[in-house]
């Protein structure tokens, strides 16, 4: 029905369906939809998407904007993507809703907490506990070489020549 078609929740579902193919596991883990289902859809999902303003989105995201900056950013980006998709269908949607919402909410302050390291005395027993899965093998490589995780995660078999690993510059 035309009214359902105009609800934000319906627009979000259409965008999610279009994005599914590019998501890991076809989006079955639910991480793409999670910020929307938790924060946006309960408050704005039944609204006609053409009536949603940057202030509406800011009101929904304000509480988590600084407490959970990554979740808030994802919720805003995915809502804006859904609205942009509706606009590309020729529907009347404000163009810069995400930018205007960010202007209302202000700058996010990212507070990072360092990940605690393992005591060196615990490394041998941890190493021995690792199995043969891909994650465990990657961890073994990191422990043995001291490289950061990115080169190890992105390593290809062509980089290994005998007992040498030629790590490309990143």
């Amino acid at each position: 029905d035309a009214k359902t078609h105009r609800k934000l929740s319906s627009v979000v579902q259409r965008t999610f369906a279009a994005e599914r193919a590019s998501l890991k596991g076809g989006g079955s883990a639910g991480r793409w939809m999670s910020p929307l289902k938790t924060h946006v859809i309960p408050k704005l999902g039944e609204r006609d998407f053409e009536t949603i303003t940057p202030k509406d989105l800011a009101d929904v995201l304000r509480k988590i904007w600084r407490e959970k900056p990554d979740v808030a950013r994802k919720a805003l980006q995915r809502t804006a993507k859904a609205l942009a998709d509706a606009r590309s269908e020729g529907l009347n949607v404000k163009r810069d809703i995400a930018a205007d919402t960010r202007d209302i909410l202000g700058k996010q302050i990212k507070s990072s907490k360092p990940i605690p390291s393992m005591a060196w005395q615990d490394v041998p027993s941890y190493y021995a506990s690792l199995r043969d899965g891909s994650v465990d093998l990657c961890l073994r490589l990191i422990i043995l070489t001291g490289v950061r995780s990115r080169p190890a995660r992105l390593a290809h078999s062509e980089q290994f020549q005998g007992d040498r690993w030629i790590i490309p510059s990143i």
Side-chain angles (χ1 to χ4, degrees), residues 1 4 21 28 31 33 54 73 95 97-98 108 112 115 141:
D1 114 357
T4 302
S28 61
R31 290 193 305 250
M33 283 293 290
R73 179 183 50 77
R95 178 171 283 286
I97 196 161
Q108 285 184 316
S112 61
I115 300 170
L141 186 60

Side-chain angles (χ1 to χ4, degrees), residues 7-170:
K7 290 182 181 179
L8 178 64
S9 59
S10 177
V11 173
V12 165
Q13 285 299 329
R14 290 195 308 268
T15 296
F16 176 62
E19 293 288 316
R20 267 197 138 124
S22 67
L23 300 174
K24 185 177 181 180
S28 61
R31 290 193 305 250
W32 195 92
M33 283 293 290
S34 179
L36 299 171
K37 282 184 176 178
T38 304
H39 302 287
V40 178
I41 292 174
K43 295 186 176 122
L44 299 175
E46 295 303 306
R47 293 260 309 267
D48 179 330
F49 63 84
E50 290 182 346
T51 68
I52 295 172
T53 66
K55 182 185 179 316
D56 296 329
L57 264 176
D59 289 345
V60 167
L61 298 175
R62 185 168 281 114
K63 182 171 175 24
I64 62 168
W65 190 248
R66 290 188 177 83
E67 291 174 15
K68 299 177 182 178
D70 287 335
V71 173
R73 179 183 50 77
K74 288 174 186 175
L76 178 58
Q77 284 175 338
R78 292 166 188 171
T79 302
K81 169 79 172 115
L83 293 172
D85 289 351
R87 187 176 60 250
S88 71
E89 294 172 7
L91 301 169
N92 183 27
V93 179
K94 187 170 176 11
R95 178 171 283 286
D96 294 324
I97 196 161
D100 292 346
T101 301
R102 275 190 214 95
D103 288 345
I104 293 168
L105 291 169
K107 188 172 177 135
Q108 285 184 316
I109 300 166
K110 294 186 180 180
S111 61
S112 61
K113 297 177 187 170
I115 300 170
S117 61
M118 180 181 292
W120 66 268
Q121 298 91 335
D122 297 335
V123 173
S125 63
Y126 179 73
Y127 185 89
S129 74
L130 296 173
R131 302 288 170 230
D132 291 330
S134 59
V135 172
D136 289 355
L137 291 172
C138 186
L139 284 169
R140 283 185 184 173
L141 186 60
I142 291 168
I143 290 169
L144 293 173
T145 61
V147 299
R148 293 190 174 267
S149 69
R150 186 163 193 235
R153 287 182 291 114
L154 301 177
H156 293 280
S157 59
E158 311 86 59
Q159 296 171 355
F160 296 91
Q161 299 168 357
D163 62 354
R164 295 185 62 203
W165 178 22
I166 309 301
I167 304 169
S169 61
I170 296 176

